[in-house]
Amino acid sequence: QVQLVESGGGLVQAGGSLRLSCAASGRTLSTYIMSWFRQAPGKEREFVAAVSRSGADTNYAGSVKGRFTISRDNAKNTVYLQMSSLKTEDTAVYYCAARAGNLLYTTTGEYAYWGQGTQVTVSS
């Protein structure tokens, strides 16, 4: 199995940037498709971004496309989410998720492994 730990969350002003990290342990990270999801208070967890095992292919939710960038460094067993031009509506707990396979699914049910989440708060 793989264990995931997110970090890098915090408070940032609207228009600012923040970089989230997801450190993996256990099995080799290159085995897994990696994604970021987020969950705002009172809302369901929603897809943010996914990256293929090699890092060559990505998928983004329309709400973050052009502002967020997902990347991975398999040698460091780490996945990143670079967030720019942040908006107040980006405020949520951000979760790192992993799945075995080669398809960039966007639904929570397709991911077997999850981190505990890191809080991102964007102030106006």
Side-chain angles (χ1 to χ4, degrees), residues 17-88:
S17 299
L18 204 61
R19 188 194 194 195
L20 305 183
S21 298
C22 174
S25 62
R27 295 183 178 178
T28 303
L29 186 63
S30 61
T31 304
Y32 302 95
I33 297 292
M34 301 298 298
S35 290
W36 288 94
F37 290 77
R38 67 186 182 186
Q39 187 168 19
K43 296 184 178 180
E44 295 295 315
R45 194 167 298 184
E46 66 175 354
F47 172 78
V48 175
V51 61
S52 63
R53 292 180 294 178
S54 68
D57 192 21
T58 58
N59 189 23
Y60 296 93
S63 59
V64 306
K65 187 173 294 184
R67 299 188 298 119
F68 291 10
T69 301
I70 186 171
S71 62
R72 66 193 298 161
D73 188 336
N74 289 335
K76 296 182 178 180
N77 282 339
T78 303
V79 179
Y80 305 97
L81 184 67
Q82 178 66 52
M83 305 183 294
S84 300
S85 300
L86 283 163
K87 306 173 181 179
T88 55

